[in-house]
Amino acid sequence: AQSVTQLDSQVPVFEEAPVELRCNYSSSVSVYLFWYVQYPNQGLQLLLKYLSGSTLVKGINGFEAEFNKSQTSFHLRKPSVHISDTAEYFCAVTHPQAGTALIFGKGTTLSVSS
Amino acid sequence: DTGVSQDPRHKITKRGQNVTFRCDPISEHNRLYWYRQTLGQGPEFLTYFQNEAQLEKSRLLSDRFSAERPKGSFSTLEIQRTEQGDSAMYLCASSSRTGGESSYEQYFGPGTRLTVT
């Protein structure tokens, strides 16, 4: 069985500061990894994904994440955040077979203030 | 590409009533998923369709829940005899079968928020 742990439920930061949102996963097989963002009263939007290849993946809105197989981690980073980045962020994992469900973490609320 | 749409966006119902939600996926996507999200939690998988075939169901999908995708296009999720514990956001997502990396990308709709009083 697969599971995802997002280590911080809330992360408050000031505008233009760097941020890291932590995600660890557990799986007995290889996995594909995703980060989604959810703005209030909206659905989820894909930020980035890791399927294979380079362990550093870049996504939309200036976000990037690094896959670390030995640490079973997939932390999300942004060098300088904006007020508009305030949202809920979800890490997700799936089995490398198209059509399988995503397993989500509980989410991290990123609050950016001026 | 108009994205995934869901209707209604909000539904308030009394305990014991039946409710039905609709999801329209992105037009060329043949895979469709339903998830449930409760407050403070990530989405939890309910069920998955490939075309009109329901290929997987979570144990969260009790016998009061039924989902259909009759022509492989839109899907409906019905909850019978609603309970207060059914209050949640119901999310629909779709993905394509074209192969390659895009087949793993699930695109989500805005969700239907159900409140059972």
Side-chain angles (χ1 to χ4, degrees):
Chain A
Q2 298 153 353
S3 66
V4 175
T5 301
Q6 291 186 242
L7 298 159
D8 306 293
S9 59
Q10 296 188 4
V11 174
V13 294
F14 287 108
E15 195 173 19
E16 298 183 7
V19 71
E20 178 179 81
L21 306 184
R22 298 181 292 167
C23 171
N24 284 89
Y25 69 92
S26 173
S27 177
S28 58
V29 298
S30 60
V31 295
Y32 290 164
L33 294 152
F34 304 80
W35 276 98
Y36 280 84
V37 61
Q38 186 176 33
Y39 298 102
N41 299 315
Q42 295 186 27
L44 281 74
Q45 180 183 9
L46 180 64
L47 273 178
L48 49 78
K49 63 183 184 291
Y50 173 78
L51 305 184
S52 64
S54 173
T55 57
L56 182 65
V57 292
K58 294 188 182 300
I60 62 171
N61 301 341
F63 284 93
E64 64 181 31
E66 185 159 18
F67 170 58
N68 187 320
K69 188 175 182 178
S70 62
Q71 302 286 327
T72 61
S73 68
F74 190 54
H75 300 334
L76 181 70
R77 302 186 184 102
K78 186 169 182 177
S80 176
V81 294
H82 301 130
I83 298 283
S84 59
D85 291 322
T86 296
E88 189 84 11
Y89 291 79
F90 293 96
C91 181
V93 62
T94 192
H95 186 275
Q97 175 182 333
T100 53
L102 291 167
I103 308 291
F104 286 89
K106 291 186 177 182
T108 297
T109 301
L110 174 64
S111 299
V112 182
S113 56
S114 57
Chain B
D1 180 358
T2 57
V4 178
S5 61
Q6 293 186 245
D7 183 70
R9 293 291 305 276
H10 304 274
K11 179 71 177 179
I12 300 174
T13 192
K14 292 185 177 179
R15 186 165 52 93
Q17 298 294 306
N18 299 344
V19 294
T20 300
F21 310 140
R22 177 181 170 122
C23 170
D24 286 89
I26 293 172
S27 58
E28 65 269 23
H29 285 185
N30 72 323
R31 297 190 178 113
L32 187 147
Y33 309 79
W34 285 98
Y35 293 83
R36 182 176 70 183
Q37 184 179 20
T38 54
L39 205 60
Q41 302 293 320
E44 295 173 293
F45 170 72
L46 292 178
T47 190
Y48 155 61
F49 289 85
Q50 182 164 306
N51 300 313
E52 65 275 9
Q54 188 173 18
L55 296 185
E56 191 176 350
K57 290 195 288 188
S58 161
R59 59 184 169 80
L60 291 176
L61 209 68
S62 75
D63 55 7
R64 295 186 298 107
F65 287 69
S66 63
E68 293 183 341
R69 195 182 183 198
K71 296 183 179 180
S73 55
F74 72 92
S75 175
T76 58
L77 178 68
E78 181 183 17
I79 309 174
Q80 295 182 328
R81 306 181 302 282
T82 52
E83 302 172 356
Q84 287 188 323
D86 296 332
S87 295
M89 176 79 87
Y90 290 84
L91 293 164
C92 176
S94 68
S95 66
S96 74
R97 65 169 178 182
T98 54
E101 294 191 355
S102 63
S103 62
Y104 298 96
E105 296 177 2
Q106 294 186 24
Y107 293 83
F108 284 79
T112 293
R113 183 169 295 284
L114 173 66
T115 303
V116 181
T117 62

